[in-house]
Amino acid sequence: MTTTGILKRLCGNIAAGRFNWQKYCTPQLYFGWEICVTPLHCSYGQIGYTVHFPYTNIPEVEYDWEMGKLTIDGEKWKSYLWNE
């Protein structure tokens, strides 16, 4: 699967509520790519998570469930993938 393919699949699954982020708090394979999730916290608790691709130059995917924002390198995920 290509870099764009894995990002599309990951973002699609997150947007649809099908991504079990807790499973990936330690590095695990996700469709053949190693990923690791770091929870996002603020002063009053967890507000989302960031998905990292260790040992690659694949950009991070961030999901802020409080704001309802899914981004790749700070850009809206659909815009980012459309420009790929």
Side-chain angles (χ1 to χ4, degrees):
M1 184 175 289
T2 66
T3 300
T4 302
I6 191 65
L7 287 172
K8 282 181 180 178
R9 176 157 298 188
L10 176 63
C11 289
N13 284 334
I14 292 170
R18 293 188 302 258
F19 181 68
N20 179 9
W21 66 270
Q22 295 98 335
K23 176 181 174 182
Y24 298 98
C25 286
T26 57
Q28 305 282 328
L29 288 181
Y30 182 78
F31 293 100
W33 292 80
E34 186 176 32
I35 65 170
C36 188
V37 170
T38 304
L40 294 175
H41 289 91
C42 68
S43 61
Y44 53 85
Q46 185 175 352
I47 60 169
Y49 54 87
T50 301
V51 181
H52 310 274
F53 292 84
Y55 315 111
T56 70
N57 61 354
I58 299 174
E60 293 181 343
V61 174
E62 185 175 292
Y63 180 54
D64 180 332
W65 60 58
E66 184 176 72
M67 301 291 286
K69 288 175 47 178
L70 177 58
T71 59
I72 300 173
D73 265 358
E75 189 177 330
K76 292 180 181 176
W77 72 280
K78 288 183 181 179
S79 298
Y80 182 94
L81 293 173
W82 180 263
N83 295 328
E84 274 288 300

